[in-house]
Amino acid sequence: MHANIVVLPGDGIGPEIIAATLPVLEAVAARHGHTFEFEEHDIGGIAIDRHGVPLPDTTLEAARKADAILLGAVGGPKWSDPNAKVRPEQGLLAIRKGLGLFANLRPTKPHPAALGASPIKPHLLEGVDILVVRELTGGIYFGDKTRSATDATDLCRYTVAEIERVVRSAGRLARQRRGHLTSVDKANVLETSRLWRDVTSRVMREEFPDVAVEHQLVDSMAMHLLSKPRAYDVIVTENMFGDILTDEASMLAGSLGLLASASLGDGKVGIYEPIHGSAPDIAGKGIANPYATILSAALLLRHSLGLEAEAASIEAAVSAALDAKVFTADLAPAGQAVNTTQAAQAVIERLA
Ligand code: IPM
Ligand code: MN
C-alpha cells in the first residue's frame, strides 16, 4: 500500500527519536512492498520559533490530509517562561483537539529483560499487561482558564457524549483483550467524576454486558497500580488522571522510554507518539531511548494503516532487541548503553 505519513519531530529529543524511527518504517515498507511517504512539519517550540505559533495552519492542514501522524515530543526550557503567551504544549493539545482524537491508548507490558530496570519487585511485574485508555480532548485541560493577580481557575467539564464515546472505545478494547474494564474517577469529590461513573456504568451495562466493570478512585488506583498491577486489564479514565497514571504505569515497564501511545478518534487517522516528553536534559546527545517511538510506529501501522503483521513484526523486533539487552542509558547498567541509532539499528536487524 501507499501511505502518506505526516512527521512532527518537535523539540528536544523529538528529532533524534524520529530520525531513528523512520528507517525502521522504511525497512518494514521495503520488506512488505509498501511505500510510505514522510512529510515533515513543525509543532511545539520549533514552530513558535519559525512561525510564531505552536501549531501552524500548514501543520494542521497536512495532518488532516494524512493517513497517520508520527510525533516526537514538544517543549523545553527555552519556551517555558511562566509569563509566555504561547507554549509548545498548546500545539500538541490543539492538534489532538483539532483532529478529534479523543481516545489515547497507552499500553504497558513489562518486558522480561527490562524487569531489573523497574523499581517494582519483579514478582509483582510478571504477567502484567495493562492498556490505559485516556480521554484526550476534554476535562480540565480544555476548560476555561482565568488568572488574576490573586487567583487562578481551571474549569473541568465533561459532557455525556464525551464520556460515552471514550468508554465505548475502552469497552471494545476490553472485549478484544481479557474482558475487564476498570474506570478511574474521583466520584467521592468531583461532580464530573460522578457523571463519569454514571455514564460509564450505563454504557457498559447496556452495550458491553460481557465485559466486567470495576470503579476505582484515582488515589487508591495510584497505589494499586504499583501494589497489584496484574489485577488490571483495560483502565479508562479522564484526561488528567490518565496523564498522571500513565507516567506512573511506565515505571512498571522500567522506563518512560518504552511506552508508546496511539491517539484515535472516530476515523482511521491517528497521532502516534511516545508518552515521554522532550527530555531537554539529554537532547542533542544521541542517547535517548527510541523504542517508545518505534513502538508508536507499530501502533500507527496497526490502527491507521491496518497493517497488523507489519506492526507485530516491529513489536517482535523490539522485544528481541530487549532480549539481547540492547539497552540505551535509561535501561542499561553503567557503561553498557548503546546510543539511539544503535538501538534502532538493532531493531531493524531483527525484523522478521
Ligand atoms: C503527554 C504529555 C502532554 C499531556 C503535555 C506535553 C501537554 O504530558 O502526552 O502525556 O499532558 O498530555
Ligand atoms: Mn504526560
Side-chain angles (χ1 to χ4, degrees):
M1 78 179 297
H2 176 84
N4 171 21
I5 300 173
V6 160
V7 177
L8 309 175
D11 310 315
I13 59 169
E16 299 163 45
I17 54 182
I18 291 287
T21 299
L22 297 186
V24 178
L25 281 171
E26 299 274 21
V28 168
R31 273 180 178 70
H32 296 262
H34 307 303
T35 50
F36 299 151
E37 207 174 305
F38 301 117
E39 193 184 317
E40 196 174 307
H41 288 274
D42 294 330
I43 193 168
I46 188 153
I48 295 176
D49 289 352
R50 289 185 180 157
H51 315 268
V53 288
L55 179 64
D57 291 342
T58 45
T59 300
L60 185 58
E61 274 158 35
R64 281 192 209 285
K65 287 192 214 123
D67 294 307
I69 298 128
L70 184 69
L71 191 145
V74 300
K78 181 175 177 194
W79 308 281
S80 288
D81 173 358
N83 296 318
K85 280 216 182 61
V86 287
R87 290 189 55 107
E89 291 80 0
Q90 291 164 348
L92 187 53
L93 301 185
I95 195 171
R96 290 169 175 173
K97 186 85 169 179
L99 297 176
L101 307 178
F102 57 83
N104 183 217
L105 281 47
R106 299 186 159 189
T108 306
K109 190 173 174 182
H111 187 280
L115 293 191
S118 172
I120 310 299
K121 292 192 177 67
H123 75 92
L124 292 173
L125 297 172
E126 277 154 32
V128 168
D129 182 358
I130 297 171
L131 174 62
V132 177
V133 180
R134 168 189 175 193
E135 200 292 324
L136 201 61
T137 53
I140 199 165
Y141 271 57
F142 290 92
D144 288 342
K145 300 174 192 309
T146 68
R147 177 75 180 265
S148 76
T150 51
D151 75 349
T153 66
D154 292 281
L155 180 71
C156 185
R157 174 172 184 270
Y158 266 109
T159 66
V160 169
E162 283 172 330
I163 302 167
E164 284 174 341
R165 63 186 183 180
V166 72
V167 168
R168 286 191 182 109
S169 300
R172 283 192 289 270
L173 290 159
R175 192 172 259 165
Q176 289 164 18
R177 290 168 48 101
R178 302 192 300 282
H180 190 274
L181 182 74
T182 305
S183 173
V184 177
D185 60 40
K186 186 72 184 174
N188 53 346
V189 177
L190 301 177
E191 205 55 51
T192 42
S193 280
R194 287 190 273 271
L195 180 69
W196 183 279
R197 195 175 281 217
D198 285 350
V199 172
T200 302
S201 299
R202 172 177 53 76
V203 169
M204 295 309 292
R205 187 177 59 243
E206 290 176 358
E207 301 173 33
F208 301 89
D210 50 318
V211 174
V213 183
E214 175 196 1
H215 299 276
Q216 281 284 348
L217 296 172
V218 64
D219 49 352
S220 64
M221 186 67 219
M223 174 183 68
H224 292 318
L225 200 52
L226 301 184
S227 62
K228 49 167 189 164
R230 234 186 334 264
Y232 302 99
D233 177 12
V234 177
I235 295 172
V236 65
T237 191
E238 63 108 74
N239 202 342
M240 187 160 74
F241 297 161
D243 179 46
I244 298 167
L245 288 176
T246 50
D247 265 38
E248 187 190 3
S250 77
M251 283 297 98
L252 302 169
S255 170
L256 202 49
L258 290 172
L259 263 72
S261 88
S263 302
L264 307 173
D266 283 323
K268 282 235 159 271
V269 71
I271 297 181
Y272 301 84
E273 55 174 318
I275 84 156
H276 62 69
S278 59
D281 51 325
I282 58 163
K285 297 187 178 161
I287 60 168
N289 185 343
Y291 292 152
T293 314
I294 293 171
L295 291 169
S296 299
L299 295 178
L300 180 158
L301 298 180
R302 173 173 297 129
H303 293 287
S304 281
L305 306 187
L307 300 175
E308 174 57 37
E310 290 83 340
S313 78
I314 292 184
E315 288 164 347
V318 171
S319 184
L322 287 168
D323 281 334
K325 301 216 171 356
V326 182
F327 293 155
T328 41
D330 51 321
L331 291 169
Q336 291 173 41
V338 301
N339 65 30
T340 307
T341 317
Q342 289 167 325
Q345 194 53 40
V347 173
I348 292 171
E349 283 161 13
R350 287 168 177 81
L351 286 169

